[in-house]
Amino acid sequence: MRGTSAGVLLAVALGVAGPVAGEPAYRPGEVLVKFRPGAEAGRALARRGARLTQRVAPLGLERLELPAGVTVEAAVAALRRDPSVAYAEPNYLAVKAVTRADDPLFVAGEQWALGAIAAPGAWDFATGGETIVAVLDTGIDYGHPDLFLNLWRNPGEIPGNGIDDDGNGVVDDVYGVRYKYGVVSGDPRDDDAADTHGTHVAGVIGAVGNNRVGVAGVNWRVRLMAVKFLHGSAGLGDVADAAAGIVYAVDHGARVVNLSFTIPASGAVAGEIRALEEALAYADERGVLTVSAAGNTRADLDRTRVYPASTRTPNNLAVAATTREDALAPYSSIGAASVHLAAPGGAYSSSPTGVVSTRGSMGIPDRGPYGYLSGTSTAAPHVAGLAALVWAYRPGLDHHQVKARLLNGVDPLPGLAGKLATGGRINAARSLTLGDRACVFGATPGRVNPGATLIITGANFGPNPGSAALGAAALEVVAWGDRRIEARVPGGAVTGRVRVNGEGADFPVAVNRPPEVRLEVSDGGGVAPVAVTARAVATDPDGTIAAYEWDLGDGELRSRPGVAEAVSVTFSRPGTYTLRVRVQDGEGLTATAAATVEAGAGPSAEARVGCFLRALGY
């Protein structure tokens, strides 16, 4: 295996990456690396001078502590040049996706959010079951009177004996697990003194219902697994611990993983967060649904990546927030092709416009066990709780079929149209009862040329070929499967929504429109020699013009130097000449325009005969 500069981490430039102002960035002095199979020699070389501090074995992910004076940017750049490295990236920081709370109020409980999603109607069919929902967050106050009976308990662990009874590498992980800077322990108690974020999220999912105490969760009976990786009042964690926490949850039986945090892929080394994407893919391969908060920055995730909501694995659901009035929350991020649906998130924390749920007291006497928060952090657990409720009602469904029920069951809302993939907010009763209809999760590419092939993914398409359409245009099915369809886009198709079998949730796809061009010529003709200037006036309805090709009368299209919108030519010989221009947009679509020039014979025309190509400037 060839060594590269990645093996000389001590020699790279000095400096330390810090967080971008106003946003979490990544941990200084650390990188995440995945090596290619069989790259042992390269692995040893690339690690030189660095210290392995954490390994997420199922993902092949390693957390490396860099030597003093080595920047994250330089280390990542060097590692990415190493052929033994599959990928290298910063250890991005995560932060809880909640609007900031101050002076939380004690309440006993107005739960408008449950009414908004028709939870009481759903409870006529199911109130919960044994579905395990992992809460990847600041932990859970597992002494809370409205949560204790619904906590997950590790069946292989004996509480308090100081022994790793089940041999999973964690001592006394009775209620879940705690990760902090790669150090793992079995005490995931919520220590968030600001708003006990994880406890609040857990209560939305599964506070004990119908017990005459406090509040009810979307599920009255569920198994809440605490996976703590966010710490302190700011609720900060990192990608390495998040990935390890997802793997722990999946390996210990979680069917749903709630991810009420955001990680902007920003800073000096920006891009995809592969480690988190692979963790979600690990969950998908094992039948686990993940639910991700879209974030509270009013971003459009079609243009700005915010993880884990921007992860496009088939098991992931990205969730926006709505208010008590069923409007899009003023802080909520959106994405017509990136954010699937909405759920109640409230308007303002510490007021009845927020969502009331459980809260840990953290030993502060003036705080009761319940409080209001708002944010996509509180929207996501409504979806996670509903997913678990659907599983309680229909335990035979797989995770993609559960996702389909949630998407198909939304209530369309005017304020969400064109801003979310479904344009709707969850409806619990409908999701339980509507049946298993076709549902489109996504279509790639999201912007397509006529004649190209679309890959449509989803659930419940059926084993036998049916119909697929983009808006009013029928697609030509090339290959059909219950979860994946290949279909060709016809020439007359326009931007619209892809639907399968005429029912269920659809998905927006933009069809590129060809450019338009007209040709303006300065002189229509005269006695040869005739000198003219030809100008192409071109526009592209959904992009830009990338190239011009010119035929200056000899029948051959040629590219001019640069992007030539205008050319000059002299016709020395008498004749009729056709000028043509062909323009091409950024998607490869073209348009052509032509004009004719008459060069007449004059008394001295023969004396002016010259080289045609030289006259054209070639």
Side-chain angles (χ1 to χ4, degrees), residues 588-618:
L589 299 179
T590 62
T592 303
T596 59
V597 176
E598 295 285 347
S604 57
E606 292 183 2
R608 294 195 298 271
V609 174
C611 176
F612 175 76
L613 289 179
R614 184 165 56 191
L616 299 186
Y618 289 96

Side-chain angles (χ1 to χ4, degrees), residues 1-4 6-8 33 35-48 62 64 79 82-85:
M1 182 67 67
R2 279 186 302 126
T4 70
V8 196
V33 186
F35 292 93
R36 300 186 189 282
E40 295 308 316
R43 185 195 308 260
L45 182 63
R47 279 196 196 146
R48 184 180 301 168
E62 296 187 0
L64 299 182
L79 286 163
D82 191 327
S84 68
V85 173

Side-chain angles (χ1 to χ4, degrees), residues 448 454 468-475 489-490 493-499 507-511:
V448 65
L454 268 181
L470 172 54
L475 300 176
V489 178
V494 296
T495 294
R497 301 182 70 87
V498 171
R499 176 160 288 205
F507 194 82
V509 170
V511 177

Side-chain angles (χ1 to χ4, degrees), residues 366-392:
D366 62 342
R367 291 191 180 183
Y370 304 93
Y372 286 110
L373 286 181
S374 64
T376 54
S377 272
T378 61
H382 284 92
V383 177
L386 176 54
L389 195 65
V390 171
W391 251 318

Side-chain angles (χ1 to χ4, degrees), residues 296-315:
N296 306 324
T297 60
R298 295 189 289 273
D300 184 344
L301 301 196
D302 288 353
R303 297 178 173 85
T304 303
R305 288 177 176 170
V306 175
Y307 289 87
S310 291
T311 304
R312 297 294 183 88
T313 49
N315 61 327

